[in-house]
Amino acid sequence: MYVILVYDMDGKRVGKMLKLCRRYLSWIQNSVFEGELTDIQLKQLKSEAEALMSGKDSLIIFKNRDQKWLDKEVVGEERASIDNFL
């Protein structure tokens, strides 16, 4: 499934969440990631994220069956491209 993940964390835990999300998804902007995950990978990511979170931290996950069903428009400079050139 195609996933867009957004998090809002206390400053003390931001670095740990960033490293965790980069293991599973592609970074596209501050605290925003996207990519393809299996159901098992998503469950693992959520479990590890919940272990890092406390208080008013939040994690929002948008899921879709396939990226082709999502229109993506970038206005301004794209922070990080996830295009792969062969």
Side-chain angles (χ1 to χ4, degrees), residues 45-57:
L45 172 58
K46 287 175 18 180
S47 175
E48 291 178 53
E50 287 173 352
L52 292 175
M53 296 170 66
S54 69
K56 295 184 180 184
D57 295 342

Side-chain angles (χ1 to χ4, degrees), residues 5-9 13-15 17-19 21 30-33 58-60:
L5 180 145
V6 181
Y7 66 81
D8 187 12
M9 304 285 288
R13 292 178 294 283
V14 169
M17 184 62 81
L18 174 67
K19 288 178 185 177
C21 292
N30 294 343
S31 303
V32 182
F33 295 81
S58 66
L59 181 70
I60 301 171

